[in-house]
Amino acid sequence: MLSDHDIQTAAADLLEAERTREQIGLLSVRHPDITLDDAYAIQAAQMPQKQAQGRSIIGWKIGLTSKVMQDALGIATPDSGVLYDDMDFADGSHIPATRFIQPRIEAEIAFIMKAPLEGKVSREDVLAATECVAPALEILDTRIARQDASTGQTRKIFDTVSDNAANGGIVLGKQRHAPDAFDLRWVGAILTKNDEVTATGLGAAVLNDPVMGIVWLSERMGQYRQRIEAGQVVLAGSFIAPIECPSGTRIDADYGNFGHVTVNFE
């Protein structure tokens, strides 16, 4: 288990990496004995500092929900991160090249909450606490290098969790639906990158039901004395692999009757 000094130092390094857009090395290399609890402590240590800068928490994201992504990292559990108000981009936004280090996007279903959730909850509890659902894109970014230059080791879950689950931003579609209006397992999207279809997927890739992502998150947060609040947005997890978005990329996500989302990287 890491010392408080190690946790605070790692948090400070990540905040500086975000400010300067200069990545740091893998925390899993710096601290070979790092645990998942340590990683969430590093993530949490950044929260009051960001709030002191004037940022507010608008919700949460769930990551690593698909089997293919879990197998790629050799894990069997999702992860989660915090959404801040300065991460909220309007549908159709043009994002300057100076904003992110290595942006990628994922396609998700967003849950907008009308009541809080905490601890162990059922699928029915989640639906009852949800105001509406919407199509969304998550912008990923990483303040930690994806691979250690000297050893070739790639990021582990401890690195991504510490780095706010690699979260960079969120783009919500304009459409809103009652949480039971669609079978969310069958809600999917066709992702086009610069007029070329790059990925497709269905909500069922998220723990076989995107609602179950929220069930998992509520319990996870309860273990760390946190909860999902009314009015917050929760990204349930991606049903496609991340798509690289260098400058000049235009992303169009067609969810059919569920909605549509676009974003542009300048």
Side-chain angles (χ1 to χ4, degrees):
M1 190 168 182
L2 300 188
S3 68
D4 184 64
H5 176 267
D6 288 337
I7 289 168
Q8 295 298 329
T9 298
D13 289 347
L14 285 164
L15 289 168
E16 181 66 7
E18 181 179 41
R19 187 186 70 81
T20 62
R21 297 178 62 248
E22 292 287 338
Q23 293 175 326
I24 65 170
L26 299 179
L27 293 177
S28 58
V29 171
R30 184 192 299 187
H31 301 291
D33 297 327
I34 190 172
T35 67
L36 203 51
D37 285 342
D38 293 329
Y40 277 113
I42 292 168
Q43 181 187 119
Q46 298 169 65
M47 293 166 65
Q49 298 187 57
K50 290 189 176 187
Q51 289 172 305
Q53 296 169 356
R55 306 185 199 183
S56 59
I57 294 172
I58 61 169
W60 307 85
K61 64 137 309 175
I62 307 167
L64 304 179
T65 50
S66 69
K67 188 70 166 57
V68 65
M69 292 302 292
Q70 291 184 4
D71 288 348
L73 285 180
I75 61 169
T77 182
D79 68 0
S80 65
V82 190
L83 299 176
Y84 296 93
D85 58 345
D86 64 336
M87 296 176 170
D88 186 13
F89 295 92
D91 186 13
S93 286
H94 290 258
I95 298 175
T98 54
R99 176 61 191 266
F100 297 116
I101 302 171
Q102 293 178 333
R104 297 178 292 166
I105 66 96
E106 293 180 332
E108 316 218 357
I109 296 171
F111 287 66
I112 300 167
M113 312 308 297
K114 64 181 180 182
L117 288 172
E118 184 175 9
K120 290 188 177 181
V121 296
S122 67
R123 184 179 188 279
E124 291 70 27
D125 292 333
V126 170
L127 291 175
T130 301
E131 176 71 31
C132 58
V133 291
L137 295 173
E138 181 186 359
I139 302 171
L140 302 175
D141 199 22
T142 175
R143 280 64 59 175
I144 295 179
R146 296 188 196 178
Q147 187 175 44
D148 182 65
S150 58
T151 66
Q153 176 182 311
T154 56
R155 287 181 302 165
K156 297 183 177 181
I157 190 171
F158 316 108
D159 299 294
T160 58
V161 168
S162 299
D163 189 23
N164 198 25
N167 189 32
I170 175 176
V171 186
L172 280 179
K174 298 180 178 67
Q175 298 82 357
R176 301 287 188 272
H177 308 281
D180 58 354
F182 288 79
D183 180 348
L184 298 178
R185 296 178 69 249
W186 285 97
V187 170
I190 302 169
L191 269 290
T192 302
K193 175 180 176 179
N194 294 342
D195 301 321
E196 180 180 2
V197 173
T198 305
T200 62
L202 288 175
V206 180
L207 302 176
N208 194 36
D209 182 353
V211 180
M212 297 308 296
I214 317 301
V215 170
W216 173 85
L217 178 64
S218 180
E219 182 171 356
R220 200 287 300 165
M221 291 180 66
Q223 295 171 354
Y224 294 95
R225 299 180 181 179
Q226 299 170 328
R227 74 175 190 172
I228 302 167
E229 301 289 352
Q232 290 186 336
V233 178
V234 182
L235 294 179
S238 178
F239 47 78
I240 65 165
I243 297 173
E244 301 285 347
C245 293
S247 294
T249 298
R250 181 181 187 275
I251 295 292
D252 182 283
D254 182 357
Y255 286 72
N257 292 337
F258 195 71
H260 203 236
V261 195
T262 65
V263 66
N264 306 274
F265 294 86
E266 296 181 343

